Amino acid sequence: MPSQRSINEAERLVQAKLGGSPIRRERMAAVANIYRAASTVRQHLENSVLRGSDLTWTAFVVLWVVWVWGESETRHVAEEAGISKGTLTGVSRTLESRGLLRRIDHPTDGRLVLLALTEQGEEFMREVFPAFNDEESFVTSRLTDEECVSLADGLRRVVLQVEEHGEERRRSLLKGEEPAPRRSGRRPARG
């Protein structure tokens, strides 16, 4: 369902609000559009291919991470999926109850838990991923293959910037203070 407010209108309104402010508009537009594109794509995929599977985006990402990386510690799955360990606990229990994922005690450290796909989970991903990829193709259909490669490269560089220098930048901005703890169950908006 298209948004009632277009991206072009939003950009026009921001330009009018900022007027002559010394703002790096191209950088602002890049970050705003990363967020907007990610939200739009996520919503489309949840309401199309994932709806038929009765999966949320987060559940699919957890399955994807375990499918790609194989049996993994929960902390690594949470990190790769970009979710908290608490969120992973709820998602993994749901996926376990559906027979797609299994929790395994760590062989050498009783405090740790491993996640692995069941055979049903492996089969599920082999069936669902092609449909998911069809929708990835749909949402990027206005781009050429070369533009997709360029976009992926640019976004990868954005991620690397934050991964490699984000902690130092946060410390500088917070003047050495620790960030305020997140409120339970809530994560900051992600792109």
Side-chain angles (χ1 to χ4, degrees):
M1 171 165 66
S3 171
Q4 291 182 3
R5 297 178 179 191
S6 75
I7 195 166
N8 293 332
E9 179 69 5
E11 288 176 351
R12 187 189 66 72
L13 291 169
V14 167
Q15 179 70 22
K17 290 268 186 200
L18 294 175
S21 296
I23 299 294
R24 295 182 195 161
R25 289 174 179 79
E26 66 283 349
R27 305 299 171 142
M28 178 189 66
V31 171
N33 286 311
I34 288 170
Y35 175 77
R36 188 158 186 167
S39 295
T40 300
V41 169
R42 177 180 178 155
Q43 185 177 31
H44 173 75
L45 289 165
E46 281 186 333
N47 288 322
S48 59
V49 68
L50 297 180
R51 177 167 284 183
S53 304
D54 193 30
L55 282 182
T56 63
W57 173 268
T58 303
F60 179 79
V61 170
V62 167
L63 288 174
W64 167 261
V65 167
V66 178
W67 189 45
V68 169
W69 291 99
E71 184 178 278
S72 302
E73 289 180 21
T74 53
R75 62 185 168 164
H76 298 304
V77 174
E79 183 179 326
E80 274 298 310
I83 59 177
S84 70
K85 289 188 279 183
T87 297
L88 178 62
T89 298
V91 170
S92 63
R93 285 185 180 149
T94 298
L95 293 170
E96 187 176 29
S97 74
R98 292 185 57 188
L100 301 173
L101 193 70
R102 60 191 164 95
R103 297 166 57 83
I104 305 160
D105 292 333
H106 193 281
T108 59
D109 189 338
R111 299 169 296 170
L112 301 176
V113 174
L114 304 172
L115 296 178
L117 292 187
T118 63
E119 185 52 44
Q120 183 180 342
E122 291 279 347
E123 184 178 318
F124 177 84
M125 288 302 289
R126 284 191 300 269
E127 290 174 11
V128 170
F129 185 71
F132 189 90
N133 185 245
D134 283 346
E135 291 311 301
E136 290 175 319
S137 296
F138 167 77
V139 301
T140 58
S141 64
R142 290 190 181 199
L143 302 174
T144 65
D145 287 347
E146 293 79 19
E147 288 171 326
C148 285
V149 169
S150 179
L151 175 63
D153 180 59
L155 293 172
R156 191 174 295 110
R157 286 184 282 145
V158 169
V159 171
L160 286 172
Q161 173 65 14
V162 175
E163 286 179 351
E164 294 172 0
H165 304 288
E167 184 64 27
E168 179 183 330
R169 177 71 173 181
R170 284 187 293 275
R171 289 178 197 265
S172 171
L173 291 170
L174 296 172
K175 297 174 180 38
E177 295 287 323
E178 288 297 314
R182 293 181 189 164
R183 293 190 297 204
S184 178
R186 298 201 51 183
R187 298 194 67 240
R190 286 188 47 140

